[in-house]
Amino acid sequence: MNGIWKWFTQDGDEASVLARMVGENFVAYRRQYIIAICALVVISGTTAFSAWLMGPVVEEVFLGGDLDAAYRLSAVVVAVFLVKGIMTYIQSVTLNRIGNNMVARFQRRIYAHLLSLGAGFFTGQHSATLVARINQNILAIREMLNVIVLAGARDLLSLIGLVGVMIYADPLMSAIIFLAGPIALYTIGRYARRVKTIARDEVHLNAQVTTRIQETAHGIQIVKAFTMEERMREGLEGLTKQVEGRANKIAQLVARTAPLMETLAGLSVAGVIAYGGWRVVNEGYSAGNLASFMTALLLAYEPAKRLARLKVAVERSFVNGRMLYELLDTPPEAADGGPSQGEGPELPLTAGEVVFDDVHFHYGQGDDDQPVIAGMSFIAEAGKTTALVGPSGGGKSTAVALLQRLYEPTSGAITIDGTDISSVSLMSLRSQIAFVSQSPILFQGTVRENLRFARPAASDSEIEAAARSAQAHDFITAMPQGYDTPLSENASNLSGGQRQRLSIARALVRNAPILVLDEATSALDNESEALVQKALESLMAGRTTLVVAHRLSTIANADKILVIDGGRVADEGRHGELLGKGGVYSKLHAIGLQ
């Protein structure tokens, strides 16, 4: 058995992946697997018994002319096949239920793990590619485990039982036939190694096809506007041809086992007919034993062929399983710096003063990577508005991302009311911050559900009050189902201004003491901005507010303006003071900070 395991998993990585898949899933479904395996054992037993039964049929009925035996054996055959049919139904339903639940369980597990990962993980991932790869990986694990159960409990046991019948009928002929085994195993092992090198490319290419289709669906207006149809069609055609080529190559490698197995089977059957027939004619060998041997040999062919293909076929699943566990083994958010998610103490917020103390940050790990934040220090006073302005790429949005611990500083400290935010739980920190982004993100569900995401305990009256303050109540009630109107994908049934006002209403529902506005009005036209400005004023009142902005209207009345340039605070003061200094701020103002 150990030798079979080593052949089946030719390297330590495969063995660890298989052991993990089996260990995690067989334990979880042990009761169902026991039922399925017991049914498969019965199926294997009926198959071997059917082969043995041919001996008495030939001896007692065909040669002995016993009619009573014919009736008796016919009844036995009906009973055997009835039992086999019932057991086949039981194992099929059981394994499919296991597989369906396994897919759902992995989907929940992976989704929960994705939610625990930091923003840095998603920065380098295309969403559609990630989703396509995950779905393909999960289905491959389901398929692999079912194949292993079927191969082990049905094919392997059937083969063992049929081989037992063959040995019982004629040990010498059995030994001669078994000499073909090492030849088949060696050839199949070579094919399997080649499949492994192709399978990972196939997974990535399939994910790219899904990505291209999803991008086209999301960006169909751009595709049409720039007459990109032909270019997109050619791009997808190239990808699908690559996928097709690799899939055909794998199919070819899997199918190459067929000529080998068919040839070996043909030689074996021909040898048995010739040698067995000679013994029956010249040595008085039992025709019943020969019939049992021949039937067992013929019935053994199919499970032997499936087992031979198994090693080649599951290499693709090994690749998918390895990729899935690579994702699951990605460390959760903040694992390398401070408590993650709900771990750690609560943030003891009193007033809401935010302090950046000599903060440095860079995205990469290499020595040549340039810092995005380079020694940034400032104080955002509690209950007041602090604006961050400066050239594009200066580090403004990165600074507010660090405040929310979407990333961890390379060095330095960020504190709220004197408490280092890296020492408290992420859940506690983020529950004290309301965030409005430059690009409003709304989710599948109704308007009311999207607003309630900010605070699940919020009442309907609180949600409607927030919408009124955000100047959103009127257009919401004008929608077909009001607050219960489902939003289309990416909320495309709303204008940009309406989406942003819902985003601001969501922040109002949050009712957090610290507010972060990351260019919250940059996507609005003048009319929409006028509607939102009153909402922002009420939202900012009494809160510690950090505003990243390009428009003068959102920062002219700020208590403090920080000019961010090159990842540090280049200047600070109120609007009039900074204009009088004639520095970076006045230059930005002159070229269109408005």
Side-chain angles (χ1 to χ4, degrees):
M1 183 63 69
N2 189 46
I4 294 175
W5 178 274
K6 288 182 177 178
W7 172 78
F8 194 69
T9 57
Q10 292 176 342
D11 58 56
D13 189 29
E14 285 183 356
S16 65
V17 170
L18 181 60
R20 189 168 176 181
M21 283 193 289
V22 171
E24 289 182 358
N25 294 286
F26 273 85
V27 172
Y29 301 104
R30 57 184 177 274
R31 182 174 299 177
Q32 295 96 316
Y33 273 125
I34 289 172
I35 293 172
I37 289 171
C38 288
L40 289 166
V41 168
V42 174
I43 292 171
S44 303
T46 58
T47 302
F49 182 72
S50 299
W52 174 84
L53 201 61
M54 288 305 297
V57 168
V58 170
E59 291 287 347
E60 297 181 31
V61 179
F62 297 154
L63 298 180
D66 188 340
L67 190 57
D68 289 337
Y71 296 148
R72 185 177 66 253
L73 291 172
S74 296
V76 171
V77 168
V78 171
V80 166
F81 278 86
L82 177 62
V83 170
K84 187 174 182 179
I86 293 172
M87 292 299 107
T88 299
Y89 170 81
I90 291 173
Q91 66 85 17
S92 178
V93 170
T94 303
L95 288 180
N96 276 291
R97 285 180 175 173
I98 292 172
N100 294 335
N101 185 262
M102 189 183 300
V103 169
R105 195 164 60 93
F106 263 110
Q107 287 173 335
R108 293 191 295 268
R109 178 181 174 188
I110 290 173
Y111 186 68
H113 185 68
L114 287 173
L115 290 175
S116 76
L117 297 177
F121 171 82
F122 296 94
T123 301
Q125 300 279 347
H126 195 294
S127 59
T129 302
L130 181 63
V131 170
R133 198 187 79 187
I134 288 172
N135 287 335
Q136 189 171 345
N137 293 160
I138 292 174
L139 292 175
I141 286 186
R142 168 190 173 160
E143 179 184 351
M144 181 178 182
L145 290 173
N146 279 355
V147 165
I148 289 173
V149 171
L150 289 171
R154 181 192 66 188
D155 295 333
L156 184 59
L157 289 178
S158 295
L159 188 60
I160 291 173
L162 292 166
V163 167
V165 172
M166 291 166 60
I167 294 174
Y168 176 80
D170 196 311
L172 178 60
M173 282 197 296
S174 299
I176 294 172
I177 288 173
F178 295 158
L179 293 176
I183 300 173
L185 293 179
Y186 171 76
T187 307
I188 290 162
R190 289 185 58 193
Y191 292 157
R193 286 190 291 273
R194 295 184 63 186
V195 166
K196 185 166 59 177
T197 61
I198 302 171
R200 183 175 283 266
D201 286 343
E202 185 193 25
V203 173
H204 286 300
L205 287 168
N206 272 317
Q208 288 181 45
V209 170
T210 304
T211 300
R212 179 61 63 90
I213 294 171
Q214 184 170 326
E215 285 179 337
T216 302
H218 285 172
I220 192 63
Q221 288 184 332
I222 300 299
V223 171
K224 297 293 184 182
F226 286 89
T227 60
M228 295 165 57
E229 292 92 341
E230 189 60 32
R231 206 178 330 154
M232 299 296 284
R233 188 181 298 112
E234 289 174 357
L236 183 67
E237 184 176 349
L239 285 171
T240 54
K241 283 183 178 178
Q242 292 183 63
V243 173
E244 181 184 10
R246 281 161 177 77
N248 286 341
K249 188 64 177 177
I250 291 176
Q252 183 182 4
L253 290 170
V254 173
R256 281 184 183 177
T257 60
L260 173 67
M261 295 301 295
E262 296 290 348
T263 302
L264 292 175
L267 291 172
S268 300
V269 172
V272 168
I273 293 173
Y275 178 62
W278 180 84
R279 290 186 63 192
V280 169
V281 173
N282 295 305
E283 295 185 351
Y285 179 63
S286 168
N289 282 351
L290 179 60
S292 293
F293 187 93
M294 285 285 298
T295 304
L297 178 60
L298 292 172
L299 290 176
Y301 172 64
E302 283 302 323
K305 185 167 66 173
R306 286 193 294 265
L307 287 169
R309 289 178 176 174
L310 178 65
K311 170 62 177 172
V312 179
V314 300
E315 281 297 348
R316 187 184 307 184
S317 297
F318 272 131
V319 170
N320 282 278
R322 188 182 300 113
M323 294 172 72
L324 188 66
Y325 284 121
E326 285 172 1
L327 173 61
L328 288 171
D329 291 338
T330 303
E333 185 175 18
D336 296 328
S340 61
Q341 295 296 340
E343 300 175 359
E346 296 286 311
L347 173 65
L349 190 145
T350 53
E353 181 180 76
V354 176
V355 177
F356 274 57
D357 184 10
D358 194 27
V359 174
H360 292 74
F361 173 75
H362 57 87
Y363 288 101
Q365 302 297 326
D367 295 335
D368 297 332
D369 184 62
Q370 296 298 314
V372 182
I373 303 293
M376 182 178 290
S377 297
F378 67 83
I379 298 175
E381 296 178 40
K384 296 185 177 181
T385 298
T386 301
L388 282 67
V389 300
S392 179
K396 305 181 297 297
S397 294
T398 302
V400 297
L402 290 173
L403 174 61
Q404 299 171 84
R405 279 183 65 194
L406 299 176
Y407 305 97
E408 298 292 337
T410 306
S411 63
I414 303 172
T415 62
I416 296 178
D417 291 337
T419 301
D420 192 328
I421 64 172
S422 67
S423 66
V424 301
S425 75
L426 282 173
M427 197 71 70
S428 169
L429 169 67
R430 292 173 184 167
S431 66
Q432 304 295 339
I433 300 174
F435 178 64
V436 180
S437 68
Q438 176 181 1
S439 303
I441 303 297
L442 299 170
F443 299 94
Q444 180 181 4
T446 65
V447 172
R448 193 187 309 276
E449 288 168 344
N450 267 272
L451 298 182
R452 187 169 273 134
F453 281 141
R455 186 162 54 91
S459 65
D460 287 348
S461 60
E462 288 176 315
I463 287 172
E464 292 181 15
R468 284 190 174 91
S469 296
Q471 308 297 311
H473 178 74
D474 289 344
F475 81 77
I476 293 173
T477 53
M479 298 173 74
Q481 296 170 255
Y483 283 85
D484 296 315
T485 301
L487 297 180
S488 60
E489 187 176 8
N490 296 324
S492 58
N493 54 337
L494 301 178
S495 69
Q498 290 172 332
R499 289 196 294 269
Q500 190 63 290
R501 277 181 274 166
L502 284 183
S503 180
I504 292 170
R506 185 169 57 196
L508 281 162
V509 172
R510 182 74 158 180
N511 195 27
I514 298 174
L515 174 65
V516 174
L517 304 174
D518 189 359
E519 302 186 27
T521 61
S522 65
L524 304 180
D525 54 36
N526 291 332
E527 181 181 356
S528 296
E529 183 182 9
L531 290 171
V532 166
Q533 199 60 47
K534 289 182 180 180
L536 288 177
E537 289 172 4
S538 62
L539 179 61
M540 295 160 65
R543 290 182 170 86
T544 303
T545 305
L546 277 78
V547 181
V548 176
H550 285 159
R551 291 192 176 187
L552 179 61
S553 57
T554 59
I555 62 172
N557 297 322
D559 298 293
K560 181 191 295 183
I561 298 173
L562 304 175
V563 181
I564 308 299
D565 190 16
R568 59 173 56 88
V569 178
D571 205 351
E572 66 176 83
R574 292 182 67 88
H575 174 63
E577 296 171 5
L578 291 172
L579 282 179
K581 290 182 179 181
V584 174
Y585 184 80
S586 61
K587 291 180 181 178
L588 290 170
H589 181 264
I591 62 175
L593 180 65
Q594 54 183 346

